[in-house]
Structures are given as structure tokens and as C-alpha cells.
Amino acid sequence: MAVVLPHIEDANTTGYIPPAGDYETFENETDYEEKVKEWGLRVKKEYWYKERTHQRLVAIKGYQSSGASHTTLVIQFQDGNLSCIHPAYLKEMQSGNFGKEVKEPAPAMSTEETALKAPSEPAVTLSAKQAEPSEEPKKPAAKKAKQPKLALPDDKVQFTAKVKQLALSWNHFNEENDEVVILEDVVIGGEDPLEVGLAWCSHSKTLKKYELAAGDSLNFNGKIVKKTLPKGKDVEDESMLLDVSVPYKINNPSKIVKD
């Protein structure tokens, strides 16, 4: 039976994976609630972190993002230690059946590999016909011209942009569509303005107060990251369908002015 209390950690029992460098924190409770729902978790102040011999209450202190869609949560134990974990894995830990399933022994993984793992995807089996090489060699597809990589700022900056459309995007953590705002003509201001093009952000409670519509011009502050927007699934309203690829996300837009 897992030991719940006391919450006194032992370095030989709990393996911490400290965040590498700085990590994003939450601006306020609304920002926290929106992010937690985005990761497919119920909004709470504390969550269970479970291992084979013990379980601990932890709090989500922030997150780190890398690549197009990879997010790692930064959690804090009651002794103050920080550690990283994949949001889907933390979600699994909230289940009462976590760790109780009977499974065949698997090769041992390090604590870091276990904590940061995402749920595995089902294997794909090819039929004999599919596995056979094609008789006629296929012509290589024409390579698309790569867009130059933008040097994105690390801190919050000032933006100008225009609303392209309101759309729905599939959230694979909670398995439902989220409301998003697609922005075009996005430009990072400053001494050397940087043209971004298309970007997106969550259609949060704060943004809904502005009653945004296609064509609205905006000035605001925010932080931009490389994160491609997934298309929505089973969208009945065609006006909410995403018809372009949007490679950048703007987090926590604030000081919004609608022209």
C-alpha cells in the first residue's frame, strides 16, 4: 500500500528532475485555470504524484515549452523541491487505478525517462501486401521551400496584428475542441520590427470581453513561441474551420487595444 503521509521526501525514494533553466509561471488564477484545462487536468490547487511505494501532493508551479507541441510541467513537492513531468503522465497519476494494473515486466527506465514519458501510441502492423516494395519506383516529391527560421524574443514584447478568424482547434489532452483566435499581419514592434505573419492564441475570457471579429486591428503585449495550431475535429460550423497552417502561438496577451 502506498504511503500518503508524512510528506517528508527522501532522495533515495523520490527522484527529482529539476527544470533546465527558467520556466514560465502563471500570471493569475485565470491564466492558471486556462492552462490546466488545456493540459486535460481538473482545476485544483494540488495533485497526486504517485510512485510504487508512496504518493505525494504536489502543486503545478509553471511549465516549459519546446518544439511545436511539447510541454513539460514544473511541479513542486511540499519540501520545496521542483521536478518536471509530462502533463499526460500527471493526469494518469490522478486515477485511482494508477499503478495497480498487472503488467508483464518491462525493461527498467530511469526516473527521468518515466516522469517525462507521454502515453505510448498503438503499433501499426503492415499487411504482407503493404510490406512488399512497389514494382515501380515512385518519383520523389518536390521539396517545399523552407521558410526562414525567425529569431523569436524570449521576453514579452509589443505586437500589432489583425484578426483573421475565430476558429476551433483540437486539444488532444482533454479530447475536445478549444476556441482560438487566428491573427494575421503579426508584427513584433521595437527598434527593429519583425514580421511574423500568422499566429494564434487561446480565445480566453479576457479576449472574449473585446468581442473580436475578423478584420479587427489589435495592439497588445505577449510572449511568442513556436507551436503549430492543430486543426479542429468534427466542426459543424464551417466558418470555425482552420484553413491555413499557423506555426506560432502568443501566450498571455495583455494591455490589449482594439483599433
Side-chain angles (χ1 to χ4, degrees):
M1 182 176 180
V3 179
V4 178
L5 295 172
H7 294 277
I8 301 173
E9 302 307 326
D10 182 344
N12 296 320
T13 303
T14 303
Y16 302 114
I17 309 169
D22 296 332
Y23 61 91
E24 297 288 332
T25 57
F26 305 103
E27 291 194 347
N28 46 46
E29 288 189 9
T30 300
D31 183 36
Y32 174 81
E33 291 175 2
E34 290 176 355
K35 291 288 192 306
V36 166
K37 290 178 181 178
E38 201 173 297
W39 297 323
L41 292 162
R42 292 179 57 191
V43 178
K44 299 190 297 182
K45 294 296 183 185
E46 294 181 307
Y47 298 86
W48 286 112
Y49 177 90
K50 299 178 182 179
E51 291 196 0
R52 186 175 60 84
T53 58
H54 68 283
Q55 56 191 46
R56 298 286 186 259
L57 284 171
V58 297
I60 301 175
K61 303 302 291 183
Y63 57 95
Q64 291 181 316
S65 298
S66 62
S69 59
H70 182 73
T71 299
T72 302
L73 305 187
V74 178
I75 56 175
Q76 184 178 52
F77 288 79
Q78 290 194 349
D79 64 353
N81 273 303
L82 298 177
S83 189
C84 294
I85 188 170
H86 193 281
Y89 195 42
L90 183 63
K91 180 181 177 181
E92 287 182 10
M93 288 184 176
Q94 308 317 300
S95 169
N97 294 324
F98 180 83
K100 295 181 180 180
E101 299 88 349
V102 178
K103 297 180 179 179
E104 292 294 327
M109 290 194 298
S110 67
T111 303
E112 181 170 356
E113 290 174 325
T114 303
L116 298 181
K117 80 176 184 70
S120 59
E121 296 182 357
V124 178
T125 303
L126 296 178
S127 65
K129 185 175 182 180
Q130 289 173 314
E132 292 177 359
S134 173
E135 294 181 1
E136 296 182 2
K138 294 182 179 180
K139 295 181 180 179
K143 292 184 178 180
K144 294 183 179 179
K146 289 186 177 181
Q147 296 295 325
K149 187 176 181 180
L150 295 180
L152 301 177
D154 294 326
D155 302 320
K156 267 195 167 186
V157 289
Q158 187 268 335
F159 292 89
T160 59
K162 188 167 66 176
V163 177
K164 175 178 172 60
Q165 71 172 118
L166 304 181
L168 293 175
S169 171
W170 183 251
N171 186 326
H172 65 277
F173 285 122
N174 56 23
E175 297 186 340
E176 61 182 25
N177 287 315
D178 289 340
E179 294 182 28
V180 296
V181 180
I182 312 300
L183 302 169
E184 61 183 354
D185 300 334
V186 178
V187 177
I188 298 174
E191 294 182 1
D192 297 312
L194 178 62
E195 294 185 6
V196 176
L198 292 173
W200 65 281
C201 62
S202 299
H203 198 188
S204 62
K205 292 179 181 179
T206 301
L207 283 178
K208 287 180 180 178
K209 295 177 183 178
Y210 292 88
E211 299 181 350
L212 299 178
D216 287 344
S217 295
L218 304 176
N219 285 272
F220 57 91
N221 291 347
K223 181 174 181 180
I224 186 168
V225 295
K226 184 77 169 67
K227 187 173 183 181
T228 302
L229 178 65
K231 292 185 178 182
K233 292 185 179 180
D234 302 323
V235 179
E236 296 181 359
D237 185 352
E238 292 188 0
S239 67
M240 301 292 282
L241 283 171
L242 181 66
D243 58 0
V244 291
S245 176
V246 187
Y248 301 104
K249 181 183 180 184
I250 296 176
N251 289 324
N252 308 322
S254 61
K255 299 182 179 179
I256 301 165
V257 177
K258 186 172 75 169
D259 295 337

